[in-house]
Amino acid sequence: MSRETPLMEHWREMKSRNPGAILLYRLGEFYETFYEDAEIASRVLGLTLTSRNNGGAADVPLAGVPAKAMSGYLRQLVSQGYRVAICEQMEDAKNAKGATVRREVVETITPGAAFADDLLDHTRNNFLCALSVVGAQAGIAAADLSTGELRLIVCDAVDLEPFLARLAPSEMVLVRGENAPSTRGPGSEGPLVTERERWEFDPALASDALCAQFGVASLEAFGIGASDAPAVGAAGALLRYLHELQPQGIPHLARPVVERAGSAMPLDEMTRRNLELVESLRGGDRSGTLIDVLDRTATPMGARLLRSWILTPLTERAPIDARLDAVGALLGDALARETLRTALDGVRDVERLASKAAAGRATPRELGALGASLARLPTVA
């Protein structure tokens, strides 16, 4: 049997480096899939399954999509829970010096690691959560790549499900072999589960990784102490996984915000559903829910914040009073309230636009929208 063609040898190498992901391999104006990836793409995307000659070997199953239409096909794959690795051409074919054009995997997109607007809901965060349970304590590290948020949560292990229900992660990172907690993500099938080795959740290694990520000498700069070890361990595994998904780095990730048990009331899924806070008992539809009644937000950031507040009832008097004072100030001054709404009109999703810009992913149109939105902020202030 003849050996494989250089192109298929390189494809196999890229595939071996990205196990478990559908590899979209750039060939000119198309992204191609081969072998089992092609069979999945053909079934899920409704593509015609063809074949490619492999240097005298058996024909290789093949299914491709036009590069111009890739975003729509990508959305279908990710929304159904598939990981997708994007292998791009890194040089013009005319300038290639070797037998094949140089190609590299530039990112891996999963349900919990997405930047594209058509993969996201502007009214809710898209959290990727890593979990670490140490004895009676549990730690959660939750990152939203689209906004750059990073939250570290320490809670009793018995309260893990309510905290996850509030975050509604689209993907969870767990220690290999451990059972996933029962929780529903944005999709009806629940979050995608990714397993990692136990050593990746080691708090000491994680502390070093977090310090390196944010350029600090100690996590005490963030108010993180020894009692937060479960969440720190989870954050270490999360960072390692994110760096694998995003080889170009995650410079836009914000400094971690720490949340400890007792500052908010944990609400399990049954309570949230029966109270119809953000989802009706019919499921999916939010008409008639509390958020449907309250949500008159003018920006996507406000919509996400309001949802977070509704699902996280405060338990301490000082922050409750501060929030009520702010609401009261706007309620008592109709002119200021309407002036503020007018100033916010036209402000786009600054959080997500800024994250794209920091990650080097913003288009000229998106940079223009970010600039126009920032220009309105002095009026808001």
Side-chain angles (χ1 to χ4, degrees):
M1 181 181 292
S2 301
R3 64 190 298 271
E4 288 188 318
T5 64
L7 186 143
M8 290 308 302
E9 286 182 346
H10 183 260
W11 175 88
R12 196 174 294 281
E13 179 186 353
M14 292 295 100
K15 180 67 177 175
S16 68
R17 294 181 186 176
N18 298 272
I22 294 175
L23 187 65
L24 291 182
Y25 194 83
R26 185 72 180 259
L27 287 176
E29 298 303 313
F30 285 83
Y31 287 95
E32 304 288 2
T33 58
F34 302 103
Y35 291 108
E36 65 275 12
D37 287 355
E39 294 171 358
I40 293 172
S42 174
R43 183 177 68 254
V44 174
L45 304 177
L47 303 175
T48 300
L49 189 65
T50 58
S51 62
R52 173 189 182 93
N53 183 273
N54 190 22
D59 287 344
V60 175
L62 162 71
V65 299
K68 292 182 179 180
M70 195 265 280
S71 60
Y73 292 109
L74 180 61
R75 181 176 64 251
Q76 291 184 59
L77 289 169
V78 175
S79 65
Q80 294 195 44
Y82 291 99
R83 295 179 178 82
V84 183
I86 310 297
C87 188
E88 287 285 2
Q89 290 184 183
M90 308 305 291
E91 61 183 351
D92 192 302
K94 298 178 181 177
N95 301 326
K97 297 180 180 179
T100 61
V101 176
R102 186 167 64 87
R103 296 177 175 86
E104 294 178 7
V105 171
V106 294
E107 69 173 321
T108 301
I109 302 168
T110 73
F115 282 94
D117 291 338
D118 55 359
L119 295 174
L120 300 167
D121 180 345
H122 76 274
T123 66
R124 63 193 300 165
N125 285 98
N126 185 48
F127 282 119
L128 168 57
C129 291
L131 315 180
S132 178
V133 178
V134 181
Q137 274 199 317
I140 305 172
D144 183 345
L145 274 190
S146 69
T147 64
E149 292 178 61
L150 176 60
R151 302 184 191 177
L152 303 187
I153 300 172
V154 180
C155 63
D156 293 335
V158 294
D159 290 329
L160 184 57
E161 189 277 331
F163 280 95
L164 286 174
R166 183 235 297 178
L167 295 168
S170 53
E171 185 174 356
M172 292 195 298
V173 178
L174 308 176
V175 175
R176 190 175 305 281
E178 291 192 355
N179 294 326
S182 175
T183 184
R184 293 173 58 211
S188 59
E189 300 300 320
L192 174 69
V193 173
T194 298
E195 294 187 331
R196 308 290 290 188
E197 299 303 324
R198 182 173 294 278
W199 65 266
E200 298 182 43
F201 293 79
D202 179 73
L205 292 175
S207 179
D208 292 341
L210 284 167
C211 289
Q213 173 70 29
F214 298 109
V216 296
S218 168
L219 295 183
E220 292 179 0
F222 306 132
I224 297 173
S227 62
D228 302 313
V232 171
L238 184 64
L239 278 182
R240 179 177 290 273
Y241 180 53
L242 288 175
H243 278 292
E244 289 180 8
L245 297 179
Q246 305 289 328
Q248 298 175 5
I250 42 176
H252 67 295
L253 203 63
R255 294 188 169 194
V257 175
V258 183
E259 178 182 333
R260 298 180 180 88
S263 61
M265 183 186 303
L267 301 176
D268 60 30
E269 184 179 333
M270 186 63 68
T271 301
R272 293 187 303 115
R273 285 179 59 81
N274 286 338
L275 291 176
E276 296 191 298
L277 298 179
V278 297
E279 184 179 288
S280 73
L281 286 172
R282 296 184 297 275
D285 184 12
R286 80 174 207 169
S287 60
T289 62
L290 179 61
I291 196 170
D292 185 46
V293 173
L294 295 179
D295 191 358
R296 298 294 180 269
T297 53
T299 67
M301 297 85 72
R304 292 194 293 271
L305 181 61
L306 179 61
R307 178 187 173 88
S308 176
W309 280 1
I310 289 174
L311 293 175
T312 316
L314 297 174
T315 58
E316 298 175 352
R317 179 167 180 171
I320 291 174
D321 284 342
R323 189 176 292 178
L324 290 175
D325 288 345
V327 172
L330 288 175
L331 186 64
D333 191 337
L335 179 60
R337 187 173 67 248
E338 290 309 310
T339 302
L340 182 57
R341 290 193 67 87
T342 300
L344 287 170
D345 184 37
V347 173
R348 299 276 298 280
D349 198 334
V350 174
E351 285 181 332
R352 286 180 170 167
L353 288 172
S355 288
K356 282 186 176 181
R361 294 169 173 273
T363 65
R365 184 185 298 274
E366 288 169 337
L367 286 175
L370 177 60
S373 297
L374 294 177
R376 299 186 71 88
L377 296 188
T379 308
V380 173

